[in-house]
Amino acid sequence: MVDLKYIERKNREPIKVVLFCGSSGAINVLENFLLNIEQGLKVAIVVLLHRKKGTQDYLVKYLNQKICVKVLPVEHGIQIEKGIIYIIPAGYHCIMEKNRTLSLDLSEKVMFSRPSADVSLESFSFNLKEQLIAIIVSGANADGANGAKWVAKRNGKLIVQTPKEAFAKTMPSSVLEAVDRVDHIVPTNELYNTAAKYF
Amino acid sequence: MEVLLEITQAELADFIEISNNLYGVDFSGYAQESLRRRVLRLMKLKECDTFAAFKYFLANQKLTDNELLNEITVNTTEMFRDPEVFKFLKEEVFDIMETYPRINIWHAGCSTGEEPLSLAILLKEHGLLKRSVQYCTDINSEVLAQAKKGIYELREMKEYSTNYIRSGGEQSLSDYYVANYGNVKMNKGLGKSMVYTKHSLVNGSSFNQMHMIMCRNVFIYLTTEQQNKVLRLFLDSLSPRGYLILGAKESAVFSTVFNELETVNGRLKIYRKKK
C-alpha cells in the first residue's frame, strides 16, 4: 500500500517541473541536455518525444545507464517528485491532475501526434502555472505552438532552441511565431544552464 | 489567432450536473483533467466561445444522449495492442484455461471490439474458441453496434498484422478477414463466441462468474475512487483464481483491493484473484 499521508505532504510542497518537448532530431538534444544534470536535482523533468510506439521502452533503459538521477516511464497515476526524470510512453497523451499526479489518455492524436506537446503544455500549465518551465526543441511539425500560447498566458517559462541550430526547425520556429514573447531563445549547449536558472 | 478556450473547476462541476440531470449521463467518476480536455474539445467543436454559451447549448438539448457520450468518452482501441500481453496469455494462461469445460471472458469497455476479436483469433488457434463465451460490454451503444458489424479500415491492417505475428499468431491475419472497398470484414465465425451488451462500469453490477476480465485503458479515465469501485466489481465477478488484465500503463498497485490480487506479471499488468 502507498502511504497516503506521505503523498499528501508531498502535494503541498511546491514543485517546479521542466517539460522537454521535441520530435525529429530531438534525441541528441535531449541527451546533451540531460547529461548536464548533477545529483540532487531540484526539479522534476518530464520528457515528451514523438516516437514510434512499442511496449519495450529502450529510451528509459538507455537513459538510466547514462544519467545519475532516476529515469522512470510515466505510468497512469504516478506522483511527480523532484529529482526524477519521467519519460512519456509513445502512443499516449500525458496530462497532469490537480494533485500533481500524471494521467495518460488515449484520445485522438493532436497535430498527428500522441503524445502531443500541445496537450501536455496546456494541461501542465493549467495545473502548474508559473512553476512550469517548458523547453521546445527540434521537430518537423507545429505541435507545441498552441500549447506554448497557454504557457505564456499562464506565466510559465518558455525556452526555445535556436531554430537554425535545430535538425528540424519547424517546431521551434512555429512556437516563436505563435507566441509574442518567449523567455529565452538559446543554442543547444546553453539549454540546460538557461533552464537551471529557474531551478 | 484562434480564441483560447478555458473552463474553471466550478464550471466543470456544472457540466457534470447538467449532463446528469438533462442527459442522464453520469460523468462524476471521470478523472478531472481528462474530462476538462474533452469538454473543451466539445465546446470548440460546437463553436461555443464561453462556458455560458455551451451551457445554453446543452440546456436546449442540442445533443442526443449518445452524442454527448460519444464526444466525451474516448473509444480508441486497436487489435493486438501490446503484443507481449497477448503472447503471454497464449503461452502461459491458455494452458490453464484449457482445463476448464467452459471459459467466460469479460471485455469491460470493449469499445469497437478490436480486442475481443484479437483474443478470439488466438483462442481459435489454441482450439479454445468453441467453448469460450466473450462478454463484450461498453457504456456506449453506438460503438457496440460497430463492434457487432466487425468492419474495420483496411489501412490499419498492416500494423495489426505485425502485432498479430508478434503476439505469437500462427497464421496470417488476412486469413481472418475479407477486404473490399478499403475496409475489412472479420470472419463471422470469430463473432460466434461474443455476447454484446450495454453495461456501465460506473453504476452497473456483476452479471456472471468470469475466468478472465480484460479491461485495458479504461481506468485512465476514472478517478481513484471510481477505479476502486470498479476493481471491487471485477473481484466480485471473477471466479477463484480468475485473471484480470489491465492496460500496459495502468496499475492496480494503488488500489484498496490490491491485497486480494496476486501479480502474475507486473510489467504486463496481468493479475490473478487469490481465491
Side-chain angles (χ1 to χ4, degrees):
Chain A
M1 265 311 286
V2 181
D3 183 356
L4 289 175
K5 278 210 177 116
Y6 171 77
I7 288 184
E8 226 170 74
R9 203 168 57 238
K10 278 270 165 198
N11 285 346
R12 265 184 258 123
E13 286 176 20
I15 178 172
K16 286 197 172 164
V17 177
V18 175
L19 180 58
F20 187 101
C21 309
S23 182
S24 164
I27 199 108
N28 297 331
V29 187
L30 173 71
E31 198 180 342
N32 183 313
F33 179 84
L34 294 180
L35 282 173
N36 286 300
I37 291 173
E38 287 163 11
Q39 229 130 34
L41 178 69
K42 287 205 224 45
V43 294
I45 299 180
V46 180
V47 176
L48 185 153
L49 290 182
H50 297 158
R51 301 183 280 159
K52 191 177 189 300
K53 64 169 183 273
T55 354
Q56 289 273 16
D57 209 332
Y58 296 106
L59 184 64
V60 175
K61 269 190 202 157
Y62 174 74
L63 290 176
N64 257 322
Q65 287 166 357
K66 277 261 181 176
I67 290 154
C68 63
V69 298
K70 198 154 54 161
V71 182
L72 291 176
V74 173
E75 287 207 344
H76 182 74
I78 202 168
Q79 177 76 40
I80 214 163
E81 282 178 48
K82 62 183 176 191
I84 299 179
I85 299 167
Y86 299 89
I87 313 284
I88 299 175
Y92 294 85
H93 290 305
C94 179
I95 52 186
M96 182 177 279
E97 300 287 339
K98 239 188 353 221
N99 61 358
R100 305 269 158 82
T101 59
L102 295 181
S103 294
L104 296 172
D105 181 313
L106 274 176
S107 53
E108 50 284 276
K109 292 180 179 178
V110 174
M111 295 299 289
F112 313 103
S113 318
R114 194 169 55 210
S116 149
D118 281 343
V119 170
S120 294
L121 287 168
E122 196 278 325
S123 170
F124 278 48
S125 67
F126 181 74
N127 287 293
L128 289 164
K129 306 284 185 298
E130 65 283 349
Q131 308 287 348
L132 175 68
I133 304 156
I135 301 176
I136 289 135
V137 302
S138 174
N141 80 355
D143 183 29
N146 263 323
K149 288 182 204 163
W150 283 111
V151 180
K153 193 177 173 206
R154 291 163 178 160
N155 301 323
K157 304 285 172 290
L158 270 174
I159 302 172
V160 181
Q161 185 188 21
T162 317
K164 67 172 190 287
E165 277 222 354
F167 173 79
K169 40 176 102 41
T170 319
M171 208 156 144
S173 49
S174 55
V175 169
L176 297 178
E177 273 166 36
V179 181
D180 297 336
R181 195 190 61 85
V182 302
D183 296 272
H184 304 275
I185 306 168
V186 291
T188 318
N189 289 326
E190 287 168 34
L191 281 170
Y192 186 82
N193 289 336
T194 314
K197 282 182 209 157
Y198 298 107
F199 290 2
Chain B
M1 198 171 126
E2 62 177 289
V3 210
L4 294 181
L5 289 174
E6 203 163 9
I7 52 169
T8 62
Q9 301 288 353
E11 287 169 339
L12 197 61
D14 229 11
F15 168 78
I16 293 173
E17 205 178 306
I18 293 171
S19 41
N20 200 1
N21 289 344
L22 295 181
Y23 291 85
V25 188
D26 185 5
F27 289 120
S28 59
Y30 282 65
Q32 287 266 313
E33 188 58 18
S34 167
L35 187 61
R36 188 180 70 86
R37 277 200 59 227
R38 300 300 290 175
V39 173
L40 281 173
R41 182 183 153 277
L42 183 58
M43 279 169 68
K44 201 184 254 174
L45 215 65
K46 300 296 173 196
E47 294 167 348
C48 301
D49 288 344
T50 59
F51 185 74
F54 184 57
K55 218 161 118 175
Y56 181 82
F57 177 86
L58 286 177
N60 286 295
Q61 302 266 2
K62 298 263 175 71
L63 287 172
T64 65
D65 303 358
N66 240 325
E67 260 179 289
L68 182 66
L69 203 60
N70 255 338
E71 298 298 346
I72 298 293
T73 56
V74 176
N75 295 311
T76 314
T77 179
E78 50 189 78
M79 281 188 203
F80 302 102
R81 189 184 176 99
D82 308 319
E84 277 179 274
V85 174
F86 286 95
K87 196 169 174 124
F88 187 90
L89 291 180
K90 189 183 160 81
E91 286 171 358
E92 314 277 332
V93 179
F94 282 3
D95 286 343
I96 298 167
M97 298 258 169
E98 208 162 6
T99 61
Y100 302 160
R102 175 187 153 128
I103 306 163
N104 287 340
I105 299 169
W106 180 12
H107 295 270
C110 71
S111 187
T112 40
E114 280 89 334
E115 211 153 83
L117 279 168
S118 309
L119 199 65
I121 289 172
L122 295 182
L123 285 168
K124 190 178 161 88
E125 289 176 6
H126 216 88
L128 296 176
L129 188 64
K130 281 200 174 134
R131 61 176 119 144
S132 310
V133 180
Q134 298 200 73
Y135 297 91
C136 311
T137 68
D138 202 286
I139 187 174
N140 186 334
S141 48
E142 232 162 86
V143 291
L144 281 175
Q146 269 181 23
K148 262 184 227 173
K149 278 190 203 150
I151 295 175
Y152 304 99
E153 282 180 47
L154 182 61
R155 62 190 165 97
E156 311 273 9
M157 284 298 158
K158 194 178 159 216
E159 191 191 344
Y160 294 171
S161 290
T162 321
N163 285 346
Y164 164 71
I165 300 295
R166 285 172 61 207
S167 307
E170 286 157 16
Q171 301 185 36
S172 158
L173 187 59
S174 57
D175 293 348
Y176 295 102
Y177 62 77
V178 184
N180 221 338
Y181 311 111
N183 284 319
V184 303
K185 170 109 175 74
M186 301 306 290
N187 289 358
K188 270 217 170 101
L190 295 171
K192 273 186 188 153
S193 66
M194 319 266 189
V195 179
Y196 298 95
T197 7
K198 187 171 166 170
H199 179 274
S200 159
L201 287 174
V202 176
N203 44 31
S205 58
S206 171
F207 56 88
N208 207 339
Q209 285 276 300
M210 301 294 164
H211 300 109
M212 187 198 284
I213 297 178
M214 278 188 110
C215 180
R216 308 214 307 143
N217 298 315
V218 173
F219 278 24
I220 53 178
Y221 304 110
L222 304 178
T223 59
T224 324
E225 301 91 77
Q226 193 59 49
Q227 286 178 26
N228 283 329
K229 276 190 212 161
V230 176
L231 270 174
R232 182 76 263 158
L233 169 65
F234 286 166
L235 277 162
D236 292 342
S237 309
L238 278 173
S239 64
R241 309 295 290 147
Y243 288 90
L244 172 67
I245 297 133
L246 299 179
K249 301 292 170 194
E250 295 169 327
S251 180
V253 180
F254 303 107
S255 71
T256 47
V257 294
F258 186 61
N259 54 355
E260 290 174 55
L261 287 167
E262 165 191 314
T263 308
V264 180
N265 188 321
R267 193 169 64 82
L268 301 179
K269 306 297 180 294
I270 300 176
Y271 303 94
R272 206 169 178 190
K273 190 175 167 182
K274 277 185 181 158
K275 56 184 164 220

